[in-house]
Each structure stands twice: as C-alpha cells, then as structure tokens.
Amino acid sequence: ISGSVIYKNAGIFGKITDIYETPSLDYFVVDTPSGTMLVPFQKEIFLEVNLQEKKLVMRGDVDESRYNFNFS
C-alpha cells in the first residue's frame, strides 16, 4: 500500500509513504502539500480502496483538523 495515492474531492490529497501500525488501528503516513500527516485507516474515512491501482479515495467531507493528522 506504500506508494499509493490518496484522492479527495477529485484531486490528489497525498501519497502514502509508510504505515504506522498500532494494536488498535493502523495509520498511513502521507506526504501532502501541507506537510506529512498521519491518516487513520478507517472505513468511515475512505470510500474506495483499490490496491491493484494503488488508489484510495477519501470522503470529501473529512476534516483533517478533526483527526489532528498533521504532525510536521
């Protein structure tokens, strides 16, 4: 899944560079124009996950600040 691109609102949100695994939830480390972010891998956030095409689609109404994604 590393190297996959995340799309949001028909545009590119960022590229997954790594996965941070925890016992309860996995997080994607994502390089975005705003900086590096931790994005939780939850079905409530992603509309589509296509591993063959290395493409994930994030819901358009997801507010990144709600999840405090940015750690850079």
Side-chain angles (χ1 to χ4, degrees), residues 6-72:
I6 297 177
Y7 294 86
K8 180 179 178 185
N9 294 328
I12 295 177
F13 176 76
K15 185 174 184 178
I16 298 172
T17 59
D18 205 353
I19 299 174
Y20 181 72
E21 297 178 28
T22 70
S24 61
L25 186 62
D26 292 339
Y27 294 84
F28 297 132
V29 180
V30 182
D31 280 343
T32 75
S34 302
T36 303
M37 299 186 177
L38 279 178
V39 179
F41 184 43
Q42 296 177 309
K43 65 180 178 180
E44 294 84 13
I45 294 176
F46 292 96
L47 297 172
E48 177 185 343
V49 176
N50 187 324
L51 299 179
Q52 289 180 336
E53 294 182 17
K54 290 193 160 209
K55 173 184 174 183
L56 291 87
V57 178
M58 181 185 288
R59 284 187 19 212
D61 62 348
V62 170
D63 178 8
E64 295 91 7
S65 65
R66 178 178 170 213
Y67 295 97
N68 194 22
F69 292 165
N70 199 332
F71 65 87
S72 58

